[in-house]
Amino acid sequence: MEYDDIPDTRDASEGPQPRPQSLLLAFFGNHVLEEGDLCVYSGSIIDVLGRVGVGEQAVRSTLTRMVNRGLLRRRREGRKMFFGLTLQALRVLHDGRTRIWQQGAVNDDWDGSWTLLGFSLPDSWKRQRHDLRSRLTWSGFGALYSGLWIAPGNVDVAAIVSELGLTAHVKVFHAQADEATDIGLMVRDTWDLESIAARYVTFDKRWTAHLNAGSGDDPIATRLRLVSEWLSTIRTDPRLPARHLPPDWPARAAQETFRRIAEQTAQPARQLAHELLETTPSR
C-alpha cells in the first residue's frame, strides 16, 4: 500500500481539536520555557487559549488539574493568580523539545542495538500497568510479547521505572538481534505501521493545505495548534530505524512541513506573546 493513498478522514480546514492540557503545555513550552523562571497571569492564559477555541471554564479547570498533578504551581499577587512551571513540568517540556528539535521524527542513525524490558505485575495493578505501558510507548517501545517490550537503540528507562515505583518488577536488557531474526518482519509485527503512517499523512495534508492558504492568521493560535498536534502525532511513533521502514515512509515529509510552519510562526508568535502576556518573576 502506498502511504500517499491512505485516506485522510479529517477535514483539512478544521483538523482535530487538541486537548486543553496539550495546548497549555504547548503554550508554556513556546512562551515560558525559554523566558526564565516566570509565572503567567491566568487572564493572559485564558486570552491566548481563547484564540484556539478553548473556553474560560475549560482553561481554569485544566489549570487546576495541572496544579493537582504537580505540573504547575500557583502564585497570587493581590487579586491576580499567576501560574508557573514545576520541576516535573520542566522535565516534560525539555523532553518534548528534545524529541521535536534534536531527535526528530526520522531515525537515520540507528546503531543496530535494541532495549528490551520485561515486566510482571499483579493482576490487580491495572493503573500501574496502564501507566507503564503509556510511558513505554512514549519512549519508543512496542509489545514484542505481552510482558516483553522492545525499543530501537539504547533507551534509559531507569527513571521511568523508578518514578512509577516498579523497579522490583522490571528487568531491562540491551542487545542486538541475531542474524536469523528478520528485523523488518519483527517491526511490522510489533508496531502498527499503517496507523503511525496515517497520522503523519493526515498531519502533512492538513498543514500543507494551511501553507497553501497563505498567511493572515493568528501566529500564536497557529503555533499552539501546530506544536500540540505534532507532539500528538510523534507521541505514538517509536522512531523505528529508517532502514527497516518502507521507502515512502511519510514522517520525513510531515516533519519538513512542521518545521516550515514552525519557523514561519516563531518570531511573530513570540512578539505577540510579549505584547499579550502579563508575567511576574517567580520567587
Side-chain angles (χ1 to χ4, degrees):
M1 180 179 187
E2 296 294 327
Y3 288 116
D4 285 343
D5 296 332
I6 293 176
D8 182 355
T9 58
R10 296 171 180 166
D11 186 327
S13 64
E14 296 180 3
Q17 176 61 33
R19 294 186 307 129
Q21 179 169 306
S22 298
L23 290 166
L24 276 168
L25 285 171
F27 167 80
F28 279 97
N30 280 324
H31 304 300
V32 180
L33 186 63
E34 301 299 328
E35 299 296 326
D37 195 8
L38 294 178
C39 293
V40 184
Y41 171 45
S42 61
S44 297
I45 300 173
I46 289 167
D47 288 346
V48 171
L49 269 291
R51 292 167 176 255
V52 291
V54 183
E56 178 178 346
Q57 187 56 46
V59 175
R60 291 190 184 279
S61 61
T62 304
L63 287 170
T64 298
R65 285 197 300 272
M66 293 176 72
V67 169
N68 293 336
R69 293 184 58 195
L71 292 170
L72 295 177
R73 52 195 172 86
R74 292 187 180 98
R75 173 178 170 77
R76 181 178 291 279
E77 287 200 357
R79 300 180 62 182
K80 292 184 176 181
M81 186 66 73
F82 292 75
F83 290 85
L85 296 169
T86 63
L87 290 177
Q88 180 182 346
L90 287 171
R91 286 194 295 269
V92 170
L93 293 177
H94 281 298
D95 180 50
R97 185 175 62 181
T98 298
R99 184 74 180 272
I100 290 174
W101 300 111
Q102 296 178 21
Q103 294 178 340
V106 182
N107 187 351
D108 289 318
D109 304 319
W110 182 59
D111 62 1
S113 66
W114 298 91
T115 299
L116 293 100
L117 183 146
F119 65 89
S120 179
L121 304 180
D123 291 341
S124 60
W125 288 17
K126 293 181 180 180
R127 180 183 61 79
Q128 291 91 332
R129 186 177 290 104
H130 170 77
D131 290 345
L132 177 60
R133 287 171 174 170
S134 297
R135 296 289 295 274
L136 290 178
T137 298
W138 169 246
S139 298
F141 283 82
L144 189 60
Y145 300 106
S146 60
L148 181 63
W149 288 53
I150 187 170
N154 190 329
V155 183
D156 183 2
V157 292
I160 293 174
V161 174
S162 177
E163 286 176 12
L164 296 175
L166 298 177
T167 302
H169 301 271
V170 169
K171 301 293 185 292
V172 181
F173 303 88
H174 300 283
Q176 291 188 321
D178 187 85
E179 291 182 359
T181 299
D182 185 333
I183 296 177
L185 178 60
M186 182 194 74
V187 165
R188 294 192 296 275
D189 287 344
T190 304
W191 288 276
D192 184 354
L193 296 187
E194 187 170 315
S195 176
I196 297 170
R199 294 174 69 86
Y200 281 118
V201 170
T202 295
F203 180 95
D204 192 31
K205 285 182 177 179
R206 194 167 69 78
W207 286 98
T208 296
H210 174 88
L211 275 173
N212 293 337
S215 59
D217 53 359
D218 184 328
I220 284 187
T222 298
R223 193 171 176 85
L224 287 183
R225 289 195 188 98
L226 177 77
V227 173
S228 180
E229 188 182 338
W230 182 245
L231 277 169
S232 176
T233 300
I234 66 175
R235 183 176 296 279
T236 55
D237 180 3
R239 294 188 76 250
L240 295 163
R243 73 184 79 163
H244 293 295
L245 292 171
D248 59 343
W249 188 243
R252 199 178 302 275
Q255 178 171 269
E256 290 174 359
T257 299
F258 164 76
R259 291 189 170 176
R260 284 177 64 192
I261 301 175
E263 183 178 357
Q264 288 179 4
T265 56
Q267 183 56 34
R270 185 179 301 113
Q271 181 176 343
L272 187 56
H274 285 159
E275 298 171 3
L276 294 175
L277 301 184
E278 181 179 347
T279 63
T280 186
S282 297
R283 292 181 219 157

